[in-house]
Amino acid sequence: QFFSREMNIRAVERHDLETALRLALDRDEFLLHYQPQVDIATGRIVGVEALLRWQHPRKGIVFPSMFMDVAEETGLIDAIGLWVLRAACTQNRAWQDAGLPPLRMGVNISARQFDQPREFAKSVNRVLSSTGLDPAWLELEMTESVLWKTAEESIQVLRRLGKNGTRIAVDDFGTGYSSLSYLRAFPVDIIKVDQSFVSGLGKDPEDSAIVEAVVRMGQALRLQTVAEGVETAHHLIELRELDCDIAQGYHFARPAPADAVTPMLRAGRDWFKRA
Ligand code: C2E
Ligand code: MG
Ligand code: MG
């Protein structure tokens, strides 16, 4: 009697989703889409971000916002996250083996996956050695909520991964706890300016000011800055003006399956030159 009817329905739905996610793992229904990241100075693709999709047998493509909460609450994210890491590293290695210019591969990591940092690092190392991917081409994207818990153990683990060349990016920068001390404590290499600020570039003076402040801070701390959600040429012009390093967004390409991204990598074109 503590549950309202609505809550009960929600609980049932969650339970169904959990069952469906387990099945999805068994049936290999997950896949990755890749979104190019473009170097603003050269116009070349220098990396991609791996984004999880679920090819549902009836519903079609399901986005992470529909299932990530349940995956995290139930702990299924550990198995799913490992699958993502392996698939992303395998794909990156395959592109390199095909003779394409090497790319950084961004992989999103949830807080839960990093609960046991040592176990996490072991998985990363295992995946790197089994796929034969040089750690320098792997980038782990973590949100501020993962990094702000300044536990000594996690710092050590990230340092060690960093020594091997793997980079750490702070995802959705500016939307989390606004505690900047983790930038000092953790071996962070990259900050990704959240798309909610980028979308107001040139329109909303406050958003523009925030993007500028984040990019300047990144430069001062010698971190690379990536702008997320770059949707228009106008955004890009503003970002170039600010000397932001890398841009990612629909203006260049939507996330797409590897087959669709390969020709873009092969063309190796300068994104800013008119064809
Ligand atoms: P994120 O890591 O911040 O990823 C960026 C999101 O913005 C992606 O949504 C991407 O499709 C979308 N996006 C890219 N360019 C644009 C643009 O120009 N405009 C707009 N409006 N959106 C753009 P997506 O793929 O739905 O992923 C949502 C979130 O789900 C991700 O946010 C990430 O936090 C999480 N996620 C995705 N894949 C994974 C994964 O493999 N593991 C974990 N733990 N989380 C994941
Ligand atoms: Mg991300
Ligand atoms: Mg983000």
Side-chain angles (χ1 to χ4, degrees):
Q1 71 219 39
F2 291 110
F3 291 90
S4 69
R5 218 175 94 82
E6 197 190 326
M7 279 165 84
N8 193 29
I9 291 171
R10 224 179 288 149
V12 170
E13 277 174 359
R14 292 197 154 228
H15 182 263
D16 288 351
L17 182 52
E18 180 185 348
T19 312
L21 285 172
R22 277 185 209 285
L23 269 177
L25 263 174
D26 286 346
R27 294 178 180 165
D28 213 14
E29 290 170 359
F30 290 111
L31 72 155
L32 293 179
H33 280 183
Y34 301 91
Q35 187 177 35
Q37 299 180 329
V38 175
D39 183 316
I40 297 180
T42 66
R44 312 253 176 215
I45 298 176
V46 288
V48 294
E49 176 175 5
L51 294 156
L52 182 61
R53 303 289 180 257
W54 174 12
Q55 180 69 60
H56 192 283
R58 276 175 297 104
K59 293 179 188 151
I61 297 265
V62 184
F63 287 82
S65 57
M66 302 301 287
F67 60 84
M68 209 39 104
D69 286 352
V70 171
E72 282 174 12
E73 282 163 29
T74 55
L76 277 168
I77 189 63
D78 286 326
I80 297 173
L82 190 58
W83 180 88
V84 169
L85 200 58
R86 201 176 290 130
C89 291
T90 303
Q91 180 60 59
N92 205 14
R93 178 66 207 232
W95 274 325
Q96 292 182 3
D97 288 345
L100 294 163
L103 295 171
R104 338 194 291 193
M105 172 66 73
V107 175
N108 292 286
I109 305 297
S110 346
R112 169 94 188 218
Q113 284 172 272
F114 203 60
D115 272 355
Q116 288 173 292
R118 270 174 228 282
E119 289 311 306
F120 174 75
K122 269 189 208 150
S123 314
V124 171
N125 289 328
R126 262 198 299 268
V127 168
L128 286 170
S129 63
S130 70
T131 57
L133 182 71
D134 181 332
W137 301 111
L138 175 64
E139 192 174 299
L140 302 173
E141 297 195 3
M142 301 182 174
T143 57
E144 293 167 84
S145 58
V146 182
L147 293 170
W148 83 301
K149 300 178 277 188
T150 321
E152 195 51 40
E153 192 189 5
S154 18
I155 297 173
Q156 295 304 333
V157 162
L158 292 183
R159 284 241 163 82
R160 240 172 289 136
L161 285 170
K163 279 219 178 81
N164 293 337
T166 297
R167 282 185 276 199
I168 309 296
V170 186
D171 206 350
D172 306 338
F173 188 86
T175 62
Y177 290 80
S178 314
S179 152
L180 298 178
S181 52
Y182 70 81
L183 286 179
R184 230 178 10 189
F186 281 96
V188 166
D189 306 284
I190 297 145
I191 40 186
K192 298 192 76 176
V193 189
D194 191 66
Q195 59 185 51
S196 60
F197 307 120
V198 174
S199 68
L201 263 181
K203 267 188 306 191
D204 181 331
E206 291 181 346
D207 282 344
S208 301
I210 291 172
V211 174
E212 174 163 15
V214 173
V215 171
R216 295 282 168 265
M217 187 193 69
Q219 289 164 342
L221 293 171
R222 292 194 177 76
L223 304 173
Q224 236 181 5
T225 48
V226 179
E228 301 191 86
V230 178
E231 292 186 343
T232 65
H234 191 72
H235 290 158
L236 181 64
I237 291 166
E238 298 275 331
L239 290 163
R240 188 182 285 132
E241 202 70 27
L242 294 175
D243 262 335
C244 178
D245 298 308
I246 291 168
Q248 174 183 352
Y250 297 166
H251 177 63
F252 301 102
R254 287 180 181 254
D259 294 357
V261 177
T262 307
M264 291 185 232
L265 302 177
R266 187 155 286 137
R269 74 168 169 121
D270 176 344
W271 220 275
F272 306 138
K273 267 211 194 103
R274 294 260 164 259

